[in-house]
Amino acid sequence: MHDLSQAHTSTDHTAAPNDRATVLVVDFGAQYAQLIARRVRELSVYSEIVPNRISANEIAERAPAAIILSGGPASVHVEGAPQLDPAIFDLGVPILGICYGAQLIAQQLGGVVGRGMAGEYGRTQLERTGASLILPDDAPDEHECWMSHFDGITELPDGFVATATSAGAPVAVLENDERKIYGVQFHPEVVHSPHGMGALARFLHERADIAPDWAMSSVIDEQVALIREQVGDARVICGLSGGVDSSVAAALVHKAIGAQLTCIYVDTGLMRKNESEQVVETFRRNLGIELIHADEGASFFEALAGVTEPEAKRKAIGERFIRVFEKHTGGLTEAKFLVQGTLYPDLIESGGADGQASVIKSHHNVGGLPDDMELELIEPLRDLFKDEVRALGTELGLPDEMVWRQPFPGPGLGVRIIGEVTPERVALLQDADLIVREELKNAGLEREIWQSYAALLADVRSVGVMGDERTYGNPVVIRAVTSEDAMTADWARIPYETLEVMSQRIINEVDGVNRVVYDITSKPPGTIEWE
């Protein structure tokens, strides 16, 4: 991918060969740009996200089968609002604008977008006003959709027709089939627009004439061929965290080059209970991957002594990770490549879509790379979303306990302890966290919950009564959320009976805890983690 490539990245267009149809999603700052790209892939069409500053020449070089303009937070009337290179409209590539993207089409092609209108937010009734080439034929003339806009299109550009309206959007759908340019004011990519996927499918398969031929099953063969070509007979190392991303990346590279791969698992002492043992066993015995187990818990606790501020913890953990990784890669002088489990959202969120080098997070995979480390990166998952990576892991034979492992922060339990991190506090939290996970499994809720854990308020004490005696212990917070991509999250409605068992077990089985609370804060305004 031209706009997302790093100076040292060795696998461009990893999931989309040049002969496969690609849809470019132009990002205008929408919180749903990634979701649009995912929905396109769900319709068996490959997609990539590109910045709104992309030029017509750059588009022409990439020869996409279609373009989708995302929504965005700005008003088209605000000075400096993002625009699209007008020459893109003349390339003959089918275009669909969503929300802000639809308004931009209207404004840039000679229509009028009204200012200061009533706006619509949330579920809205859409009314079909004419035969539409975008709205599904099976959608009722009046049906529900999801709107989120203030301005609205009031006058169409020449050559366009309006085929739907709503109370706050005089033109809710605009179409010019001759130029293959279309726009919808609503958000077809969200589940609250029940006929939205049908509208996207009509645009992709009928208006843009794209065959639904992209499938996850082809990614393995494509990646194996690319990795073998790039690596040759060189040695490759992988910084293994035990998480889904790095595990799937390691398994995929191992399938391609076998014994040429060495994985390094840095055990920080901050993992969940029994997790390190499971990671080591899975990779050594089940997958036969050479693994260096760097048991460095003591050095991490030393680095964290006296540190209480969350960001300072992250920096201390990240710095120690780099030093440990350097120590254990010192003997692999013949290694030329480093595998990372970077995902597509990582690239987008770190500035990759702007054509800049992607930023390696201080807590992601290998914890950041020293400036003088001369290794080329292999990032075989860099075009995939989390759900696609899970599917790939299953195809590669990884066990469910790894494929469906919940997202886990790079600094581990170090940022789930509010206060200083000590071995005793980590052991206490490991026990409490294990109970939360066990009871969610017993209740059959594992797959429904995006992330769940226990946090320890180590700097807080509360009075309790246990066995007719006064206690003065630490509270434990249970946190569980549902989400699709972690951009937003809602607190999970765990049955009271399950919460009651969790609370009883934690207080009875974990020494030093005398109170359990359940966090019912959504994101926003809160975050998923408690740091």
Side-chain angles (χ1 to χ4, degrees), residues 197-415:
M197 286 294 280
L200 284 175
R202 286 204 75 182
F203 170 70
L204 295 171
H205 303 321
E206 297 180 21
R207 308 280 70 79
D209 196 27
I210 304 174
D213 59 5
W214 185 79
M216 282 297 300
S217 59
S218 63
V219 174
I220 294 176
D221 292 339
E222 292 165 2
Q223 275 301 307
V224 165
L226 285 167
I227 293 166
R228 286 174 178 168
E229 179 182 0
Q230 177 65 26
V231 169
D233 59 0
R235 294 285 299 173
V236 179
I237 59 175
C238 175
L240 192 67
S241 69
V244 179
D245 309 336
S246 66
S247 298
V248 173
L252 184 54
V253 173
H254 184 258
K255 182 177 179 66
I257 61 173
Q260 292 170 242
L261 173 69
T262 299
C263 290
I264 300 173
Y265 173 62
V266 178
D267 188 345
T268 63
L270 304 172
M271 302 296 284
R272 294 182 291 190
K273 191 162 188 176
N274 303 325
E275 201 153 36
S276 291
E277 292 83 353
Q278 182 234 326
V279 170
V280 172
E281 180 180 27
T282 297
F283 277 85
R284 281 184 177 163
R285 299 183 185 177
N286 298 356
L287 298 178
I289 296 179
E290 181 183 354
L291 179 65
I292 296 173
H293 181 191
D295 188 354
E296 294 282 346
S299 69
F300 279 87
F301 284 118
E302 182 180 347
L304 288 168
V307 181
T308 58
E309 200 273 325
E311 188 56 29
K313 289 181 188 178
R314 282 187 174 270
K315 291 179 179 178
I317 293 170
E319 173 67 20
R320 182 92 294 270
F321 214 122
I322 293 172
R323 302 285 80 85
V324 169
F325 192 74
E326 286 178 327
K327 180 175 75 174
H328 288 277
T329 56
L332 299 171
T333 55
E334 74 277 21
K336 295 182 179 179
F337 297 91
L338 173 69
V339 178
Q340 289 202 144
T342 308
L343 303 192
Y344 200 42
D346 297 331
L347 295 172
I348 299 302
E349 292 169 2
S350 61
D354 287 329
Q356 304 168 352
S358 63
V359 177
I360 299 171
K361 302 174 185 176
S362 62
H363 55 280
H364 183 67
N365 291 323
V366 297
L369 296 175
D371 293 336
D372 57 354
M373 182 176 279
E374 297 180 357
L375 292 170
E376 288 187 56
L377 292 181
I378 296 176
E379 296 175 310
L381 311 178
R382 68 194 312 261
D383 291 333
L384 304 179
F385 292 98
K386 178 73 79 173
D387 53 343
E388 295 171 332
V389 170
R390 293 191 198 278
L392 193 63
T394 297
E395 286 200 45
L396 287 166
L398 289 176
D400 279 356
E401 59 263 29
M402 295 198 75
V403 171
W404 290 98
R405 181 181 185 265
Q406 292 184 2
F408 189 64
L413 300 182
V415 293

Side-chain angles (χ1 to χ4, degrees), residues 110-168:
V112 175
V113 177
R115 297 171 181 251
M117 301 176 66
E120 292 169 313
Y121 303 95
R123 291 181 174 85
T124 304
Q125 283 297 116
L126 188 77
E127 180 181 353
R128 190 195 304 260
T129 58
S132 174
L133 297 172
I134 292 295
L135 296 177
D137 288 335
D138 61 354
D141 287 344
E142 290 191 21
H143 62 269
E144 192 175 82
C145 68
W146 187 266
M147 294 277 199
S148 181
H149 68 98
F150 188 65
D151 297 335
I153 302 167
T154 56
E155 294 183 26
L156 290 166
D158 290 342
F160 283 78
V161 295
T163 60
T165 187
S166 68

Side-chain angles (χ1 to χ4, degrees), residues 301 304-308 313 414 417-422 425 456 458-459:
F301 284 118
L304 288 168
V307 181
T308 58
K313 289 181 188 178
I417 294 174
I418 312 305
E420 183 181 7
V421 179
T422 66
R425 289 175 172 180
L456 175 65
D459 285 347

Side-chain angles (χ1 to χ4, degrees), residues 58 75 93 153 171 174 189 208 243 300 347 441 447 454 526:
E58 291 170 320
S75 165
V93 180
I153 302 167
V171 178
L174 67 158
E189 72 274 18
F300 279 87
L347 295 172
K441 182 177 181 179
R447 295 287 180 91

